[in-house]
Amino acid sequence: MPTNFTVVPVEARADGGPDEAAEGAEAAGGAEGTEAPGPPEGEPDCQSPGDGNPRENSPFINHTEVEQESFEGKNMALFEEEMDSNPMVSSLLNKLANYTNLSQGVVEHEEHEDDSKRREVKSPRMGTFIGVYLPCLQNILGVILFLRLTWIVGAAGVLESFLIVFMCCTCTMLTAISMSAIATNGVVPAGGSYYMISRSLGPEFGGAVGLCFYLGTTFAGAMYILGTIEIFLTYISPSAAIIQADTAEGEAAAMLHNMRVYGTCTLVLMAMVVFVGVKYVNKLALVFLACVVLSILAIYAGVIKTAFDPPDIPVCLLGNRTLSRRGFDVCAKFLAADNSTMPTALWGIFCNSSMPNATCDEYFAQNNVTEIQGIPGVASGVLLDNLWSAYADKGAFVERKSTPSVPVPEESRANGLPYVLTDIMTYFTMLVGIYFPSVTGIMAGSNRSGDLRDAQKSIPTGTILAIVTTSFIYLSCIVLFGACIEGVILRDKFGEALQGKLVIGMLAWPSPWVIVIGSFFSTCGAGLQSLTGAPRLLQAIARDGIIPFLQVFGHGKANGEPTWALLLTALICETGILIASLDNVAPILSMFFLMCYMFVNLACAVQTLLRTPNWRPRFRYYHWALSFLGMSLCLALMFICSWYYALFAMLIAGCIYKYIEYRGAEKEWGDGIRGLSLNAARYALLRVEHGPPHTKNWRPQVLVMLSLDEEQRVRHPRLLSLTTQLKAGKGLTIVGSVLEGTYLDKHVEAQRAEENIRSLMGVEKTKGFCQLVVSSSLRDGMSHLIQSAGLGGMKHNTVLMAWPESWKQEDNTFSWKNFVETVRDTTAAQQALLVAKNVDLFPQNQERFSDGDIDVWWVVHDGGLLMLLPFLLRQHKVWRKCRMRIFTVAQVDDNSIQMKKDLQMFLYHLRISAEVEVVEMVENDISAFTYEKTLMMEQRSQMLKQMQLSKTEREREAQLIHDRNTASHSVVATRTQAPSTPDKVQMTWTKEKLIAEKYKNKEPGMSGFKDLFSLKPNQSNVRRMHTAVKLNGVVLSRSRGAQLVLLNMPGPPRNRQGDENYMEFLEVLTEGLDRVLLVRGSGREVVTIYS
């Protein structure tokens, strides 16, 4: 690294003397050297489900809370108050030097749960060669190379086989490059590929792809075990079969049953070896790999030998059809002996007797029996015959096209004749699915990253070297097989024409048994590697706590071995063994592995394109275009192999994704998908027009104003229920609240209040954002929220708040003054306002109205929001079965019949279905009740302004006046007269107040109150009160039983002196109604009749 730095000792001050300097040096040394050893690296500091410690929150994985230390020296006195949260650089560097990759070992987690004494765990120290290169080599050079590669070359031809291998190797190489970039962008603990994907794409993608990769690795173990048993039962000891077939037709089924029996026993044995310990697997790996290397060397040696001394391996053909060399030795119809010809065993098979005049099979009679060399050698020119594909249907004859034959009419092929037949239908895409698992061992090293000394260095180097090595072996073997071996032998999957011998073994030198034994042990080793890596992968997923029901698999033995995960792996592996067919298991693996590789490439491409500051891989040879090409190639290969398997694998991954999103723990890993979301959000916000949207795009973007109690809990939770019902998950929702005070004093309460609000939003399923403001006054805080909530074009256009039920009490924090000023603020900001009265009576989200009406009282038109709100509410399940009724008010001069027709036509064009009714309000004289109500309102207002009473006395006097007016209401109903003199009203006076009042007003003390009770009501207020009383009566007569009443909210008076009267008008207007939503539009149109 080019950065240079120098460690500078801090000298003690000269005037401190040598003692102080020594004291300072001792203190500094103590800060560095006497630090108490912390828990093992990566251990969580608090108990949480799974391994809940967010290691990415600190620059080092083994970050733990530094114990409180005493800094007695003066060198660091300037920073001593921050030492508990910001430790010295020396202590952090000391921790980094002691870092171990085994930070996710289960033992630390269990010890922490038991609160027992922690003990140090010695971590394995594997290098690149043993830890990554050999496991990758062993997994890649596995069962497909020895059992299926010759068959793939024979069916697809050299050119198409080369294309298949080249595509698959290119896919894995591009994935390895992306994986190397991710692996070198920070420390990779245990879990390898899962850890890389989850930290790059987030817990949902990481969990889904991690589980898919786990299933793929587990099924790979099943495939390797099936390959092992196939080698054993077919080429080593066919007589060991437990279940024997009675007929030739039953041989395939009997073979599958034998595979199941032997496979299950082998799986149990391998699981026991893995359970004993990973170190034994590593020791056995060298032995197994030696077998692989010797086998490959034997293949190359055999190829070289065929150039000058081809082996004598005769193949018997009848016409151009290959014959199985079981049941006869001599490849001829007659055998000359003692000057006579005798029919051979082959004659007896195709004819009904051994006599020369016997009746024989027509094809046998028409065609000659010939014998060719199965492995003619490199110099024979057979490569030209094997260049092109020879795909065939199931049960087709394996034929040599260049040999002449006499065709005969189609006959039954299942008559027991010794032909070599194809066991499955072959085509290009199917061969891709079967071959791809042979290149899927590239993650074998990264899966065991917890056992590596330096994962960042070992994973890229070992993986890429292994891919280069194996790609060369595969590509060269395809060309060499096509150049050395006859086509009919290549297409003979199980070596029937070679007396049941392994085809690739017959090519090897010095003996076929080198390949047979080598392939047997190599597939054993690959199976052990899969059974070692898969449980660790599951353990890493379980200990992250993102999938709750998997947490039990995070536990294990005292040395960290994943016991429970190994048990589950063995059970899943058993299902693959029960399938029993290698060709059917292979495409399943291909899907899971390809999906994992696709998301590794996606993770690298996303991180590179986003240019996140933390994306600083040490591996420099990557580019987003390569990652994108690898991702596209993986997706293409998935659908090439099998489109229905691909869709099924995606469905499984999607279900896991949604489950983690729905039930998983909240994790913040700084993943690339979150960065992509932020970039997309920024791009979208910049594109959103800053002005108001078009009417067709208008929807209520709601700012919900919540009030909190003394414990920072929400006073009216039903307000959020109404928000959820109104929004139905669409549009913008900002939940705002105000705390009174200063931020420095109230930041703890603010955090607690925000947590409470977020928790309630989760309960009420309100999707939106929380914004809490600490302000010196509630009034200013609410004004700030209305002005500044939102971002760019994503700002609210509607404010939703609760009616202040106790507005008449002065001690109410949300007083009527705040309410009226908020109404004025929304009007000035050109925002709509919704006021829910009796909000605690509103339904919860779980309630359902089976019947009822939503009544809309449309008095004035201020944008059409009144029409839109019931339509939005009825989208939610709570209000879905309610009917919508619209009432409008007609004056004396209006034609109510025409108004109804016009309104029905208007609603028809708006595509809103509702009942329409026009209510006529007849002008009549102002009633005495209205007069008295206005007078009482003005008296209380005037009295509160004049009297210098305490709060409690002010309420008492107001109540006295209210009682007097209420008692006189029955008398006033028959006669209207001025209120009686206030002599009967008992006022409470203290001596101090009497003196203060005397000095304040030179007139007699009671004259002010005489003026108070001789007031005449303001005519404007009388008219307003008359409207409120009349309209309230009309609404009550029609909508008393409605589930919800929406009506226009009149604006506050321009003269601020009458604000308290405005509250009284609204109270009278909504009196007697259960659920009321007062609606004040912004003035702009929000509904349109146009499409």
Side-chain angles (χ1 to χ4, degrees):
M1 185 175 287
T3 307
N4 297 320
F5 63 92
T6 306
V7 178
V8 181
V10 181
E11 299 293 342
R13 290 183 54 177
D15 58 359
D19 293 337
E20 286 191 9
E23 181 184 352
E26 183 181 348
E32 178 179 352
T34 63
E35 181 183 4
E41 291 80 14
E43 171 142 75
D45 294 330
C46 59
Q47 216 163 6
S48 61
D51 185 12
N53 184 29
R55 294 177 180 80
E56 294 75 22
N57 289 349
S58 87
F60 308 110
I61 284 192
N62 53 353
H63 174 78
T64 53
E65 291 293 331
V66 181
E67 295 186 6
Q68 187 70 28
E69 300 171 0
S70 60
F71 298 91
E72 297 177 356
K74 299 181 177 61
N75 293 337
M76 295 297 162
L78 188 62
F79 301 97
E80 62 184 7
E81 291 185 357
E82 300 177 356
M83 285 296 182
D84 54 346
S85 58
N86 301 334
M88 291 178 62
V89 173
S90 57
S91 61
L92 274 184
L93 292 178
N94 186 38
K95 283 187 176 185
L96 182 61
N98 296 330
Y99 169 69
T100 169
N101 258 357
L102 199 66
S103 59
Q104 288 189 349
V106 181
V107 59
E108 298 94 325
H109 179 68
E110 290 184 340
E111 286 171 355
H112 176 72
E113 284 186 342
D114 298 335
D115 291 328
S116 62
K117 183 178 179 181
R118 299 180 175 94
R119 58 181 179 273
E120 186 178 357
V121 178
K122 185 177 179 181
S123 60
R125 293 288 178 179
M126 294 187 190
T128 303
F129 189 73
I130 293 180
V132 180
Y133 183 77
L134 295 189
C136 287
L137 211 64
Q138 194 169 353
N139 274 267
I140 296 172
L141 297 174
V143 59
I144 302 295
L145 170 64
F146 300 113
L147 295 185
R148 294 291 183 270
L149 192 59
T150 54
W151 173 68
I152 290 173
V153 173
V158 173
L159 294 180
E160 291 187 25
S161 300
F162 195 91
L163 177 62
I164 291 173
V165 175
F166 184 77
M167 274 199 312
C168 296
C169 291
T170 302
C171 177
T172 54
M173 177 58 79
L174 293 173
T175 304
I177 291 173
S178 299
M179 186 181 70
S180 301
I182 298 173
T184 57
N185 189 52
V187 179
V188 181
S193 54
Y194 158 73
Y195 185 92
M196 291 187 292
I197 297 171
S198 61
R199 268 53 176 185
S200 298
L201 293 178
E204 293 88 2
F205 274 112
V209 181
L211 274 183
C212 284
F213 185 54
Y214 163 74
L215 292 174
T217 308
T218 306
F219 275 102
M223 184 187 72
Y224 292 128
I225 292 173
L226 290 175
T228 304
I229 304 306
E230 183 178 311
I231 293 170
F232 177 73
L233 291 179
T234 307
Y235 307 114
I236 296 179
S237 178
S239 60
I242 298 174
I243 301 170
Q244 301 291 340
D246 297 332
T247 61
E249 290 82 3
E251 287 183 0
M255 181 66 179
L256 293 180
H257 290 314
N258 286 313
M259 299 271 282
R260 294 182 179 105
V261 174
Y262 276 97
T264 303
C265 298
T266 307
L267 173 63
V268 172
L269 185 63
M270 286 187 175
M272 290 175 63
V273 173
V274 174
F275 179 77
V276 170
V278 67
K279 59 182 180 180
Y280 299 105
V281 177
N282 294 328
K283 290 178 181 177
L284 290 171
L286 293 175
V287 179
F288 295 147
L289 188 75
C291 297
V292 176
V293 174
L294 287 176
S295 301
I296 293 170
L297 292 177
I299 294 170
Y300 284 116
V303 170
I304 295 171
K305 180 177 177 295
T306 62
F308 53 86
D309 184 17
D312 182 21
I313 302 174
V315 176
C316 190
L317 299 179
L318 175 60
N320 63 358
R321 298 177 184 177
T322 312
L323 296 180
S324 174
R325 259 298 172 63
R326 293 177 181 177
F328 68 94
D329 295 325
V330 180
C331 183
K333 292 182 179 181
F334 297 97
L335 185 63
D338 298 331
N339 297 324
S340 64
T341 57
M342 297 289 294
T344 61
L346 187 62
W347 178 278
I349 294 173
F350 280 91
C351 300
N352 59 0
S353 72
S354 58
M355 300 303 293
N357 58 353
T359 303
C360 297
D361 179 79
E362 187 177 356
Y363 189 83
F364 180 78
Q366 296 288 337
N367 290 276
N368 296 323
V369 177
T370 57
E371 197 172 55
I372 62 171
Q373 285 298 320
I375 303 181
V378 177
S380 65
V382 73
L383 177 64
L384 296 176
D385 296 332
N386 293 331
L387 281 178
W388 311 108
S389 61
Y391 299 123
D393 294 329
K394 181 178 180 180
F397 298 107
V398 176
E399 298 176 335
R400 186 171 187 255
K401 299 297 183 183
S402 60
T403 301
S405 67
V406 179
V408 296
E410 190 71 20
E411 78 277 8
S412 173
R413 297 175 181 180
N415 51 9
L417 297 178
Y419 291 121
V420 178
L421 305 176
T422 56
D423 62 332
I424 58 174
M425 182 180 179
T426 54
Y427 45 93
F428 180 80
T429 56
M430 185 269 288
L431 295 179
V432 174
I434 291 177
Y435 173 76
F436 189 81
S438 65
V439 296
T440 55
I442 65 171
M443 296 284 191
S446 64
N447 281 346
R448 299 164 62 213
S449 55
D451 302 325
L452 298 174
R453 184 186 305 118
D454 184 2
Q456 290 194 40
K457 178 182 177 183
S458 299
I459 289 177
T461 308
T463 304
I464 291 178
L465 281 179
I467 291 175
V468 170
T469 306
T470 54
S471 298
F472 172 78
I473 292 173
Y474 278 127
L475 292 171
S476 61
C477 280
I478 283 178
V479 176
L480 294 176
F481 290 164
C484 294
I485 305 175
E486 184 63 49
V488 291
I489 299 300
L490 289 174
R491 292 189 290 279
D492 184 5
K493 185 187 290 187
F494 300 108
E496 295 178 57
L498 306 177
Q499 296 179 337
K501 295 179 181 177
L502 185 62
V503 174
I504 197 173
M506 303 304 291
L507 176 66
W509 181 87
S511 168
W513 286 101
V514 175
I515 295 292
V516 173
I517 301 300
S519 61
F520 178 79
F521 282 113
S522 73
T523 49
C524 275
L528 281 172
Q529 294 288 350
S530 297
L531 290 178
T532 304
R536 280 166 169 69
L537 188 60
L538 181 63
Q539 185 186 41
I541 298 172
R543 296 189 61 218
D544 261 337
I546 58 172
I547 304 178
F549 68 84
L550 288 182
Q551 288 177 12
V552 66
F553 299 108
H555 305 279
K557 294 195 298 184
N559 62 352
E561 289 297 313
T563 310
W564 293 105
L566 177 62
L567 180 62
L568 180 65
T569 302
L571 291 176
I572 298 175
C573 193
E574 176 64 18
T575 61
I577 288 173
L578 293 178
I579 296 174
S581 172
L582 189 71
D583 300 323
N584 290 336
V585 173
I588 299 176
L589 316 188
S590 300
M591 291 307 114
F592 290 128
F593 280 121
L594 279 167
M595 183 171 292
C596 177
Y597 297 167
M598 180 176 71
F599 281 99
V600 169
N601 285 296
L602 174 63
C604 182
V606 165
Q607 298 276 32
T608 307
L609 289 173
L610 290 179
R611 299 176 183 174
T612 51
N614 192 51
W615 180 246
R616 303 185 300 273
R618 286 203 182 95
F619 183 81
R620 298 294 182 187
Y621 308 103
Y622 70 94
H623 193 270
W624 68 266
L626 293 177
S627 301
F628 188 79
L629 178 62
M631 182 186 70
S632 305
L633 190 56
C634 289
L635 186 63
L637 284 173
M638 284 179 69
F639 284 91
I640 286 174
C641 293
S642 173
W643 64 268
Y644 45 89
Y645 274 169
L647 292 177
F648 184 68
M650 288 181 173
L651 178 65
I652 292 177
C655 292
I656 299 171
Y657 178 95
K658 296 306 291 183
Y659 176 80
I660 296 174
E661 188 179 53
Y662 179 66
R663 291 292 306 275
E666 290 291 331
K667 296 286 180 182
E668 175 50 59
W669 287 330
D671 51 85
I673 291 296
R674 180 171 176 80
L676 185 63
S677 302
L678 291 173
N679 264 25
R682 170 184 163 274
Y683 176 78
L685 279 173
L686 290 175
R687 285 185 60 86
V688 171
E689 54 193 41
H690 208 67
H694 192 274
T695 303
K696 289 187 288 187
N697 298 327
W698 195 95
R699 66 174 64 205
Q701 317 280 17
V702 181
L703 170 63
V704 187
M705 305 290 275
L706 296 180
S707 59
L708 306 174
D709 58 15
E710 292 76 12
E711 297 180 359
Q712 282 77 49
R713 288 197 297 262
V714 178
R715 290 184 188 274
H716 304 294
R718 299 290 179 91
L719 205 58
L720 284 181
S721 303
L722 177 62
T723 306
T724 304
Q725 296 157 22
L726 184 64
K727 301 297 292 179
K730 304 294 190 297
L732 175 70
T733 301
I734 303 174
V735 181
S737 188
V738 180
L739 279 183
E740 195 168 8
T742 60
Y743 185 71
L744 288 178
D745 298 333
K746 293 281 188 177
H747 68 277
V748 176
E749 289 90 338
Q751 290 178 355
R752 184 164 65 247
E754 192 164 343
E755 290 174 3
N756 292 338
I757 294 174
R758 290 186 190 279
S759 173
L760 183 62
M761 289 173 68
V763 171
E764 299 293 343
K765 297 180 181 179
T766 305
K767 298 181 182 299
F769 309 98
C770 177
Q771 188 164 352
L772 192 133
V773 172
V774 180
S775 178
S776 56
S777 69
L778 290 175
R779 168 77 193 90
D780 291 342
M782 296 180 71
S783 178
H784 295 158
L785 271 179
I786 292 172
Q787 294 176 60
S788 61
L791 182 64
M794 286 294 286
K795 292 184 70 69
H796 62 278
N797 54 28
T798 306
V799 177
L800 173 61
M801 59 198 304
W803 172 264
E805 301 292 345
S806 53
W807 64 273
K808 297 179 182 179
Q809 301 175 8
E810 273 305 313
D811 61 344
N812 183 22
T813 55
F814 193 78
S815 67
W816 55 269
K817 289 185 179 178
N818 286 342
F819 177 82
V820 177
E821 291 301 321
T822 304
V823 176
R824 288 196 172 98
D825 286 344
T826 57
T827 304
Q830 294 184 332
Q831 294 171 3
L833 176 65
L834 309 178
V835 179
K837 196 165 185 292
N838 302 325
V839 68
D840 295 327
L841 299 178
F842 276 65
Q844 291 182 318
N845 292 327
Q846 295 77 21
E847 297 180 34
R848 301 287 183 271
F849 287 134
S850 59
D851 194 14
D853 299 311
I854 300 177
D855 286 357
V856 177
W857 285 86
W858 191 19
V859 181
V860 295
H861 180 68
D862 51 4
L865 185 59
L866 268 175
M867 308 294 174
L868 193 60
L869 290 177
F871 171 78
L872 295 175
L873 283 174
R874 292 179 64 208
Q875 306 301 309
H876 197 273
K877 294 178 181 179
V878 173
W879 305 93
R880 187 162 293 164
K881 295 185 179 179
C882 292
R883 296 178 301 275
M884 179 177 169
R885 299 192 303 180
I886 296 182
F887 298 91
T888 188
V889 177
Q891 302 299 323
V892 177
D893 299 334
D894 295 331
N895 185 342
S896 58
I897 298 176
Q898 187 62 37
M899 277 183 66
K900 185 173 182 178
K901 290 181 179 178
D902 294 343
L903 182 54
Q904 287 174 335
M905 183 59 66
F906 179 61
L907 292 176
Y908 175 77
H909 287 306
L910 287 178
R911 290 90 62 201
I912 294 177
S913 59
E915 298 179 18
V916 175
E917 187 171 344
V918 177
V919 179
E920 296 183 359
M921 289 186 66
V922 182
E923 288 188 6
N924 54 5
D925 295 335
I926 298 175
S927 67
F929 172 75
T930 302
Y931 190 85
E932 188 70 16
K933 192 96 175 169
T934 311
L935 188 60
M936 179 184 69
M937 174 186 72
E938 293 190 352
Q939 283 178 359
R940 181 172 64 247
S941 175
Q942 191 69 19
M943 181 190 70
L944 294 180
K945 291 177 182 177
Q946 289 186 5
M947 292 174 60
Q948 301 287 322
L949 299 178
S950 66
K951 185 192 302 181
T952 55
E953 290 173 326
R954 195 180 304 167
E955 291 173 0
R956 188 181 306 157
E957 303 304 339
Q959 188 63 39
L960 283 171
I961 296 176
H962 176 73
D963 293 343
R964 182 191 64 75
N965 283 286
T966 304
S968 63
H969 174 61
S970 57
V971 180
V972 176
T974 54
R975 56 187 176 83
T976 55
Q977 60 182 19
S980 58
T981 57
D983 298 334
K984 297 179 182 178
V985 180
Q986 303 296 321
M987 312 298 274
T988 306
W989 291 95
T990 60
K991 183 178 179 182
E992 292 79 5
K993 289 178 183 173
L994 185 61
I995 296 171
E997 188 66 22
K998 191 178 296 184
Y999 281 105
K1000 180 183 175 185
N1001 193 352
K1002 298 300 181 182
E1003 297 176 3
M1006 299 301 290
S1007 63
F1009 297 101
K1010 289 179 180 177
D1011 293 340
L1012 176 64
F1013 293 110
S1014 61
L1015 281 173
K1016 288 189 177 181
N1018 184 285
Q1019 290 303 311
S1020 175
N1021 287 340
V1022 171
R1023 290 198 309 273
R1024 288 193 175 95
M1025 183 63 75
H1026 175 68
T1027 304
V1029 171
K1030 287 286 292 180
L1031 196 53
N1032 176 255
V1034 172
V1035 172
L1036 278 177
S1037 65
R1038 300 292 204 287
S1039 304
R1040 186 185 293 272
Q1043 301 290 6
L1044 179 64
V1045 177
L1046 292 89
L1047 49 81
N1048 288 110
M1049 179 179 178
R1054 292 187 177 88
N1055 181 10
R1056 301 196 177 205
Q1057 300 299 322
D1059 285 354
E1060 62 272 21
N1061 299 339
Y1062 172 69
M1063 297 295 290
E1064 189 70 47
F1065 294 144
L1066 295 181
E1067 192 76 65
V1068 171
L1069 181 63
T1070 57
E1071 194 172 1
L1073 297 172
D1074 288 340
R1075 301 184 192 95
V1076 183
L1077 193 61
L1078 295 170
V1079 181
R1080 180 165 173 77
S1082 60
R1084 67 181 304 271
E1085 292 294 335
V1086 300
V1087 291
T1088 177
I1089 63 175
Y1090 300 105
S1091 60

